Amino acid sequence: MSDILQKIQDLRKRIEHYDYEYHVLDRPSISDIEYDKLLNELVELEEKHPEYKTNDSPTMRVGGEVLEGFKKVDHDIPMLSLGNAFNADDLIAFDNRLKKIVSDFTYMVEAKIDGLAASLKYEEGYLVRAATRGNGTTGEDITHNVRTIKSVPLHLKQPLTIEVRGEIFMPKAAFMKLNEARNENGDALFKNPRNAAAGTIRQLDSKIAAQRDLDMFIYAMSEADSEAEITHEEALKKLSDLGFKTNPVSMKATTIDAVITQAKTIENDRHDYPYDIDGVVVKVNERTLYETIGYTAKSPKWATAYKFKAEEVMSVIKDIFFQVGRTGQVTPVAVMEPVEVAGSTVSRATLHNEKYVLDKDIRIHDSVSIKKAGDIIPEVVGVIKERRDGTQVPFKMIENCPKCETPLQRSQSELEHFCPNPECPAKRLETMIHFASREAMNIEGLGTKIMELYYNEGYLKSIPDIYRLNDHKDALMNRSGFGKKSIEKLLLNIEKSKENSLENLLFGLGIRFVGKKVSKVLAMHFKDMFAIVESQVDDLLALDDIGEKIAYSVTTYFSNDDNVAIINDLNTMGVNMKYKGKAPSQGVFSGKTIVLTGSLSSMSRKEAKEKIEALGGKVTGSVSKNTDYLCAGEDPGSKYDKAQSLGVAIIDEDTLRDMLDE
Ligand code: IVH
């Protein structure tokens, strides 16, 4: 090895060590001046000898890589979110749900960092990719910016191939400093540290991130990578040993009462932390139980987020208007004097329905207290009646649709009002907005504003028109307000959305009661849109998770020729109609290999195979050391012996059925 290379490597080792002390351990052992000297020396050497530059050199932290755009990243394992608990009772209910499924478990209680979730991939110890959560299935490649976060190791203390997840955030002090500087420069201020972190991670030029002091706590490693770490506590320890920064606010609890006490303590101290936290995450500690406890479509059932009580503030209602949703539901919405609540400015709040407004007696010009439900959705808590001065106008529900004038109908519960007109422009617009939304077809750039515009200009009348926008390319590019590049990008994103799997398309149609989970169930079972179009109520009722309400809603939707025409149109234009099964399902069998042997009495082998696969498992023909379960029916034969000799878990048909029912 040349002397120069030796020198470079020594410097890197030393700087890495100092970085780790400073940014992970929070225990620097040399002065900033000494540190800068070493770093400058390394920068100079690397500049003189570019042949020795590497991706994991600490000099990478200073940024410099500028991207043209963000690459999409498909997550191997979906990035889920968490269910919520808002009080002690919710936590007790969470505990009771768990106790029905498992016994003998403990909890870990952690601060819920208010930042952005991200996934980091290491190959043989080297950071190779960082991605945002995105919609959970697909995120964006942010490796260039994450490399600038000094607490994120560019290589690990062991040469592991591993995916870890955590929260990128901006410490409060860094946020204040950043906003002060922006203020001086006359730049717009960030609302809160989370927005600042999000705005920073979404920069194409990594120099910007390098200057902004982002930080990251790692809170999980992918299950496949941590066989030896049977508890979450041990997994955190291992992450820390590998060089990651883990959050010290993390404690074990054996009972839900202890969890509640700890959660309250963290809540009391929330403002003392140097970073924003918006709740407490409660996780089952024993990871071996995770598969058994299971998952919903959105979140693991073995964890929950206890969200801190929302701040309440006061404002005045300036007006109440009526919004028509995609199902035709008409909702009163309050327009308020803008106020800051829990970190962002709020000027609107849904008033839900007529009864809600009348029960609370909310009037225009009333002073009201508002909070953000779950820290997200602005809500009027109550009216401050002492402040009434006679100018208040009592509420009156409208009788006709605000968009198309059709007389409104009441829902069965009498609570909601609906516009029954299928041609109602408001419904059509909302339907298209839903279709393009992140959780549905995920067409980036086709948001509410641009939809409204194209709708008003006649380019978009119904869903298939989205795929005809390309025919108006020149006209769209020549109208003012949008750059050519952004239109081109939008059209490209529209084109790309044709490749989505069936469940996205199905969800995007906005059929009543067909949410994300039901869409997935239907897509997985029928595999093809036309099979769903043709399905009968009984076919649907035969599926788990599908009840009468959904079955009738689906068949009613497709008994309407206009809706079938939409499908045909989309099909003709090349929109994928098939289930691609890309995202592995999160279920009891997720990632597991199962061998079936002997005859089953309650179902055919084929049926069992389909069901196991639907829950994320793989069914193979022969037993090996990679087999997780052997399901032994009647007269099992030699596979049984082999499984026994290899120590593979053997389950009977009843157990298999129980697991499938799970
Ligand atoms: S565990 C399956 N632990 O909260 C999701 N999440 O709604 C497992 N978060 O998207 C997440 N601090 O961005 C976990 N200590 C913590 C967390 C945490 C913040 C965020 C995360 C996630 C969201 C859940």
Side-chain angles (χ1 to χ4, degrees):
M1 195 189 304
S2 80
D3 287 352
I4 304 282
L5 182 56
Q6 186 65 56
K7 172 101 188 133
I8 287 181
Q9 290 185 342
D10 285 349
L11 275 170
R12 283 183 188 152
K13 257 221 169 85
R14 287 177 68 191
I15 295 170
E16 262 165 33
H17 176 74
Y18 294 133
D19 271 345
Y20 179 72
E21 281 186 343
Y22 186 100
H23 296 282
V24 179
L25 303 180
D26 209 2
R27 248 189 349 240
S29 68
I30 60 164
S31 73
D32 290 1
I33 296 173
E34 285 170 284
Y35 176 89
D36 288 346
K37 217 173 113 204
L38 292 175
L39 188 64
N40 285 337
E41 200 178 333
L42 180 59
V43 170
E44 274 172 28
L45 278 175
E46 287 186 357
E47 265 168 17
K48 259 197 232 148
H49 301 277
E51 69 274 22
Y52 296 139
K53 271 196 173 179
T54 59
N55 260 344
D56 66 322
S57 167
T59 54
M60 291 302 289
R61 308 279 198 197
V62 297
E65 201 181 342
V66 184
L67 306 183
E68 299 255 320
F70 288 101
K71 264 194 300 200
K72 295 250 183 259
V73 171
D74 286 334
H75 298 297
D76 296 336
I77 306 167
M79 289 186 77
L80 301 177
S81 63
L82 290 174
N84 288 325
F86 295 102
N87 48 44
D89 285 348
D90 291 350
L91 286 171
I92 292 169
F94 168 68
D95 184 57
N96 285 335
R97 283 197 298 278
L98 288 172
K99 283 185 180 146
K100 283 207 187 108
I101 311 172
V102 287
S103 53
D104 274 343
F105 61 92
T106 57
Y107 287 113
M108 287 294 283
V109 182
E110 293 171 3
K112 183 169 182 299
I113 317 297
D114 195 10
L116 309 105
S119 131
L120 310 182
K121 253 193 174 168
Y122 288 80
E123 270 168 22
E124 288 170 14
Y126 288 88
L127 174 66
V128 291
R129 199 208 66 195
T132 60
R133 173 172 184 272
N135 64 7
T137 316
T138 309
E140 279 176 338
D141 192 319
I142 48 166
T143 316
H144 66 305
N145 285 332
V146 169
R147 281 194 206 285
T148 70
I149 304 178
K150 300 198 184 64
S151 59
V152 171
L154 298 175
H155 57 242
L156 304 177
K157 299 193 172 172
Q158 289 170 35
L160 293 186
T161 295
I162 184 177
E163 186 193 341
V164 301
R165 292 177 177 180
E167 198 82 353
I168 296 175
F169 63 97
M170 188 177 284
K172 289 178 192 169
F175 166 73
M176 305 285 271
K177 199 177 92 189
L178 173 62
N179 259 357
E180 268 165 35
R182 290 177 74 84
N183 198 21
E184 274 171 23
N185 286 334
D187 294 332
L189 301 187
F190 285 109
K191 286 247 157 65
N192 53 44
R194 188 170 48 79
N195 285 354
T200 304
I201 218 68
R202 283 212 40 112
Q203 294 286 335
L204 292 168
D205 181 352
S206 60
K207 273 237 162 56
I208 299 179
Q211 290 157 5
R212 284 194 189 165
D213 291 329
L214 290 177
D215 206 339
M216 183 170 190
F217 282 122
I218 301 299
Y219 51 64
M221 81 175 103
S222 53
E223 280 143 56
D225 297 324
S226 59
E227 277 147 34
E229 282 65 42
I230 47 175
T231 66
H232 179 59
E233 194 180 23
E234 285 164 342
L236 288 176
K237 167 82 171 54
K238 167 145 172 192
L239 287 166
S240 166
D241 290 346
L242 287 172
F244 291 109
K245 179 163 176 164
T246 54
N247 192 309
V249 191
S250 152
M251 37 218 157
K252 202 166 142 173
T254 46
T255 64
I256 198 68
D257 287 339
V259 167
I260 293 166
T261 310
Q262 286 170 349
K264 295 260 154 132
T265 310
I266 297 175
E267 181 166 17
N268 276 334
D269 299 343
R270 67 183 288 197
H271 297 295
D272 299 339
Y273 294 110
Y275 40 82
D276 273 352
I277 62 175
D278 59 342
V280 168
V281 182
V282 183
K283 301 172 182 173
V284 168
N285 192 21
E286 289 74 17
R287 297 160 59 99
T288 42
L289 299 177
Y290 287 2
E291 290 296 304
T292 317
I293 300 169
Y295 299 81
T296 70
K298 287 196 205 125
S299 50
K301 293 186 192 167
W302 40 261
T304 193
Y306 164 72
K307 293 284 191 74
F308 293 152
K309 242 188 226 66
E311 261 178 80
E312 267 184 45
V313 296
M314 234 163 53
S315 184
V316 174
I317 296 192
K318 295 201 292 192
D319 195 7
I320 294 176
F321 74 97
F322 296 88
Q323 198 168 41
V324 188
R326 86 189 131 84
T327 56
Q329 188 174 339
V330 177
T331 314
V333 180
V335 182
M336 299 170 301
E337 283 296 344
V339 275
E340 184 81 6
V341 204
S344 73
T345 308
V346 163
S347 58
R348 284 184 180 191
T350 174
L351 299 176
H352 303 290
N353 54 50
E354 181 184 26
K355 183 170 182 304
Y356 182 91
V357 188
L358 294 179
D359 283 355
K360 289 196 182 321
D361 190 19
I362 299 168
R363 305 177 181 191
I364 295 174
H365 299 151
D366 258 340
S367 293
V368 288
S369 59
I370 51 185
K371 66 167 191 188
K372 279 210 221 139
D375 253 8
I376 304 177
I377 303 155
E379 203 174 69
V380 174
V381 186
V383 173
I384 304 155
K385 296 201 172 139
E386 307 79 67
R387 293 212 166 197
R388 284 194 174 155
D389 59 5
T391 63
Q392 283 66 28
V393 189
F395 176 79
K396 198 167 170 332
M397 189 65 200
I398 47 169
E399 280 163 11
N400 295 70
C401 174
K403 276 276 154 51
C404 69
E405 297 292 328
T406 309
L408 299 181
Q409 292 177 359
R410 275 177 186 261
S411 66
Q412 264 182 345
S413 66
E414 296 277 307
L415 278 180
E416 276 108 26
H417 288 74
F418 283 92
C419 169
N421 173 14
E423 305 285 321
C424 173
K427 271 162 83 167
R428 287 182 163 244
L429 179 59
E430 292 299 329
T431 303
M432 286 189 288
I433 291 171
H434 169 75
F435 184 83
S437 68
R438 199 148 89 139
E439 303 285 341
M441 293 297 266
N442 196 15
I443 307 179
E444 207 177 302
L446 198 57
T448 307
K449 283 230 168 76
I450 196 160
M451 285 267 204
E452 250 165 27
L453 198 73
Y454 288 173
Y455 184 83
N456 292 335
E457 291 179 354
Y459 292 116
L460 293 177
K461 290 198 192 71
S462 80
I463 289 171
D465 290 337
I466 293 173
Y467 295 97
R468 293 190 191 101
L469 280 178
N470 203 27
D471 302 345
H472 308 287
K473 190 169 175 179
D474 291 339
L476 296 181
M477 282 195 174
N478 287 329
R479 66 185 298 300
S480 62
F482 295 96
K484 272 198 167 125
K485 265 223 162 114
S486 76
I487 298 291
E488 241 161 34
K489 216 167 141 200
L490 171 64
L491 293 174
L492 202 71
N493 289 341
I494 292 176
E495 193 59 29
K496 270 197 289 193
S497 75
K498 289 182 176 173
E499 299 306 319
N500 283 337
S501 182
L502 174 58
E503 64 273 24
N504 294 70
L505 175 64
L506 189 60
F507 177 59
L509 294 174
I511 304 169
R512 267 199 110 187
F513 309 125
V514 180
K516 270 189 82 172
K517 182 159 186 185
V518 172
S519 301
K520 187 98 193 243
V521 170
L522 294 175
M524 268 188 337
H525 177 80
F526 289 100
K527 307 246 177 343
D528 185 313
M529 179 61 98
F530 292 99
I532 303 177
V533 173
E534 257 136 50
S535 66
Q536 304 293 316
V537 169
D538 285 344
D539 306 331
L540 293 163
L541 285 178
L543 302 182
D544 289 341
D545 297 317
I546 310 286
E548 287 197 352
K549 209 168 68 172
I550 300 172
Y552 281 105
S553 176
V554 172
T555 48
T556 310
Y557 182 88
F558 289 116
S559 65
N560 180 333
D561 289 344
D562 292 341
N563 292 333
V564 179
I566 290 177
I567 304 296
N568 286 331
D569 256 12
L570 292 176
N571 184 38
T572 315
M573 287 185 292
V575 176
N576 170 55
M577 296 283 147
K578 298 215 186 299
Y579 175 59
K580 295 190 166 176
K582 219 170 84 215
S585 153
Q586 288 276 5
V588 259
F589 289 111
S590 167
K592 302 275 188 231
T593 303
I594 293 97
V595 174
L596 302 169
T597 183
S599 58
L600 302 175
S601 60
S602 64
M603 60 190 132
S604 69
R605 283 256 194 119
K606 184 163 168 281
E607 243 178 292
K609 182 169 185 282
E610 277 175 10
K611 286 189 175 164
I612 292 169
E613 284 170 353
L615 293 172
K618 203 166 91 189
V619 177
T620 60
S622 58
V623 177
S624 75
K625 64 178 188 338
N626 295 325
T627 310
D628 293 291
Y629 298 108
L630 175 85
C631 172
E634 203 85 1
D635 298 327
S638 68
K639 286 182 190 167
Y640 189 95
D641 302 331
K642 184 151 184 209
Q644 247 184 349
S645 71
L646 290 173
V648 170
I650 299 176
I651 57 174
D652 61 12
E653 186 176 347
D654 283 346
T655 312
L656 175 70
R657 271 222 321 272
D658 285 348
M659 289 169 83
L660 290 172
D661 287 344
E662 248 298 297

